Amino acid sequence: FFNMQFIGNQEISQRNGVVLMEYMVGIRVEQLLNPKKRARIPMFRKAMAAMPVRYNSLHVCFDDPRIRTLLNLSTAVIEGKLLCRLQSHLGTDLECMYSLMAFGIAPSIMPVQTDGSVDTRGHSMHIAELEAIAEQYHSGTPQTVINFDDSPIFEDIPLPPSSGPTAEDVLMGRGKHGKKWPGNLKLRKTVEQYWDEYKAADRDGKIAISHKIYGQFISSGSRFLSQDKTSGPESWVEMPQKEVCIRIAHLFRNIRAAEQKSMRF
C-alpha cells in the first residue's frame, strides 16, 4: 500500500498505468482453493479498489496448468473489476521470465531469480528511497523527485578494479577490443543460431528473442560491459538490459543485410 500511495503521486504512473504481477510459480491449485485463502479474496478486492492508481495490466505467472482453467473462468470478472487486461504465463521461473520479456518486463526488476531464489536487495533500495522522501515530506524539507526510468537501481553499475572483463563477458561498443573476445564470439554464434526463428517472428517475437538471448547470457554468469570513458580505458560498467537488447537486435539486422548483399551477387 505504501508503494501504491507513492506511485499514485507520479504523473507518469497515472498516465501510463501500473502493471500488476501475481507470481504463483510453485503454488498448486489446491492451495488457491483452500477456504482460508478464498476468504482473503474480498479483502484483496477492497484493497485494490482503494489504491489511488490506474491499472494497465495484470500478469499472472504459474507452473500448475490447472490454474489456467481457473483464470479462464475468472478473466472477465478480473478485467471488469480492475479495468485492465489479464495476461497469463505458464512455465518454470525461467520460462515465465522469457514470456514476460515480450511485454517489456525485464527480469532485472524482479526479486525472483531464474532458479526460483529470491533477491530483495533492489526492492529494499527502492523502499529506502520512498521512506527518505516520506521523511522529507513530514519534515517540511524540499522533496526529491524520483524518475523511475533514471533510478540509481537501474543505472550502469561501475565495476570494482578487480572485476575486469572475463572470457565469459561480452564487450560492447565500437573498436577492435571485442571482435575476437570469447564472449563476443559466443554472442555472435548464438545470434546466428536464432536467426531463422528471429526472421520468422513478428515485432513482439523479435523483441522477446533479443531478451531471451540476454537472459541466457546473464543466467550463465556473463556480463555485458562497456568502457567507462570518464574513469579511464581500463574501467568498465555493466550496460542496462534495454540497451543490450537493442545491440542484439542490431546483430540480427547485420545478418539480414549480409544475406541481402549476397543475394545480389
Side-chain angles (χ1 to χ4, degrees), residues 37-138:
K37 294 281 188 181
R38 296 179 65 182
R40 298 175 185 173
I41 294 178
M43 297 172 55
F44 174 76
R45 288 176 179 170
K46 290 181 180 179
M48 297 302 293
M51 299 296 182
V53 294
R54 181 177 68 83
Y55 303 112
N56 179 287
S57 60
L58 169 62
H59 294 263
V60 183
C61 300
F62 52 93
D63 60 346
D64 186 343
R66 296 172 296 173
I67 293 178
R68 172 162 282 171
T69 302
L70 288 179
L71 290 175
N72 290 339
L73 294 173
S74 57
T75 294
V77 176
I78 294 174
E79 293 185 343
K81 291 290 185 181
L82 297 180
L83 300 178
C84 69
R85 294 296 303 274
L86 172 66
Q87 301 288 348
S88 61
H89 309 272
L90 171 64
T92 63
D93 293 290
L94 185 59
E95 289 170 338
C96 285
M97 289 183 185
Y98 285 156
S99 180
L100 289 168
M101 288 177 186
F103 295 89
I105 302 174
S108 58
I109 68 173
M110 297 173 57
V112 181
Q113 308 301 300
T114 55
D115 60 356
S117 61
V118 177
D119 184 352
T120 60
R121 288 177 296 177
H123 179 71
S124 298
M125 290 173 61
H126 175 63
I127 292 298
E129 287 180 337
L130 300 188
E131 290 176 341
I133 291 176
E135 186 176 344
Q136 290 176 0
Y137 175 80
H138 291 297

Side-chain angles (χ1 to χ4, degrees), residues 13 19 23 61 76 78 95 97 107 114 131 214 216 241 263:
S13 299
V19 176
Y23 202 85
C61 300
I78 294 174
E95 289 170 338
M97 289 183 185
T114 55
E131 290 176 341
Y214 173 87
Q216 286 180 350
Q241 177 178 351
M263 292 175 62

Side-chain angles (χ1 to χ4, degrees), residues 155-179 181-184 187 214 217-218 221-229 232-241 243-245 247-248:
E155 287 181 354
D156 294 357
I157 304 174
L159 304 176
S162 59
S163 300
T166 69
E168 295 298 317
D169 296 330
V170 180
L171 308 184
M172 311 298 285
R174 298 173 180 267
K176 299 180 179 180
H177 58 265
K179 286 189 175 181
W181 192 263
N184 292 53
L187 176 62
Y214 173 87
F217 274 72
I218 294 299
S222 299
R223 299 172 298 177
F224 292 87
L225 308 178
S226 63
Q227 285 186 321
D228 183 6
K229 297 180 181 180
E234 300 303 321
S235 182
W236 298 83
V237 295
E238 289 194 55
M239 294 181 64
Q241 177 178 351
E243 189 171 345
V244 172
C245 290
R247 302 288 183 90
I248 292 174

